[in-house]
Amino acid sequence: MCNRAERGDTQKVLQLFGARIGARFNEGPLEVHPKSPGSVVRMDGDGLVLEQMTWGFPVSLRGKKGQPLKPKPVNNARFDKLGSFWKRWAAEPHQRCLIPTARFAEAVGEAGRMTETWLSVKDQPIFAWAGLWTQSDEWGAVYTGVMTDNAPELADIHDRSPVILNPQDWDTWLTAPLKDLYQFDRPYPAESMIIDATDTPWFRAKGAR
């Protein structure tokens, strides 16, 4: 599952999506990690707004003795669970969002020696990753990215991929009934992706970016 991504440049995102700055927005790092601030585009009234939210829905866990633990971020939502676990949000158009993304990374290689492989879209320097958002008691406004099967040609990188929406499909994701969204539960064409396999270690020293 994707847990490292690079958001799109703010001014370019505003222009591309025809959005305005929302009430919740502060510039943050371009590289985004779970439980850190990222940016989403959502419907607000009759227009789109760009807002900053925490990446990951908080899930509260308990220890072996039943003691409450710090919540963990669920940063990805499986498409095949939109009609079950995620339905309370997915069925509500106002709880859907677009995640403006320049590229995302996956860990590739042997355990303990994994490196970063970055993926982006050839003809879209900033693309829209289908997402869900909500207000949480723990972290305020939060979002999660929807995942689907990866293209077979890219299965050696990961078996799943973000749901990448082409511009003509943005409005459908944000406004259509849930039953109309299943057309997007499909691999994005491998030939439309740019693969950047690096030697950068996946695991970094604490605080490194």
Side-chain angles (χ1 to χ4, degrees), residues 77-84 86-87 90 132 146 173 178 182:
R78 289 173 58 115
F79 210 121
D80 57 0
K81 293 186 177 181
L82 292 191
S84 52
W86 297 99
K87 188 174 182 178
L132 307 172
V146 181
W173 181 262
L178 178 58
Y182 287 92

Side-chain angles (χ1 to χ4, degrees), residues 101-152:
T101 307
R103 58 181 189 161
F104 64 94
E106 297 289 0
V108 176
E110 301 176 7
R113 302 178 63 183
M114 291 182 172
T115 56
E116 288 181 338
T117 291
W118 289 89
L119 298 95
S120 54
V121 179
K122 285 182 180 178
D123 59 352
Q124 298 183 58
I126 298 173
F127 63 88
W129 177 4
L132 307 172
W133 77 277
T134 193
Q135 286 285 349
S136 72
D137 294 333
E138 296 88 346
W139 303 328
V142 296
Y143 71 95
T144 189
V146 181
M147 305 291 286
T148 188
D149 291 336
N150 209 351

Side-chain angles (χ1 to χ4, degrees), residues 149-200:
D149 291 336
N150 209 351
E153 302 93 325
L154 304 178
D156 59 322
I157 297 175
H158 203 288
D159 61 347
R160 302 190 73 77
S161 166
V163 172
I164 297 171
L165 300 171
N166 289 320
Q168 65 268 26
D169 299 320
W170 295 350
D171 185 66
T172 300
W173 181 262
L174 293 174
T175 63
L178 178 58
K179 63 181 178 64
D180 293 347
L181 303 185
Y182 287 92
Q183 61 183 299
F184 306 127
D185 187 13
R186 76 289 182 265
Y188 201 75
E191 62 269 22
S192 298
M193 302 297 293
I194 299 172
I195 314 301
D196 180 17
T198 77
D199 295 326
T200 304

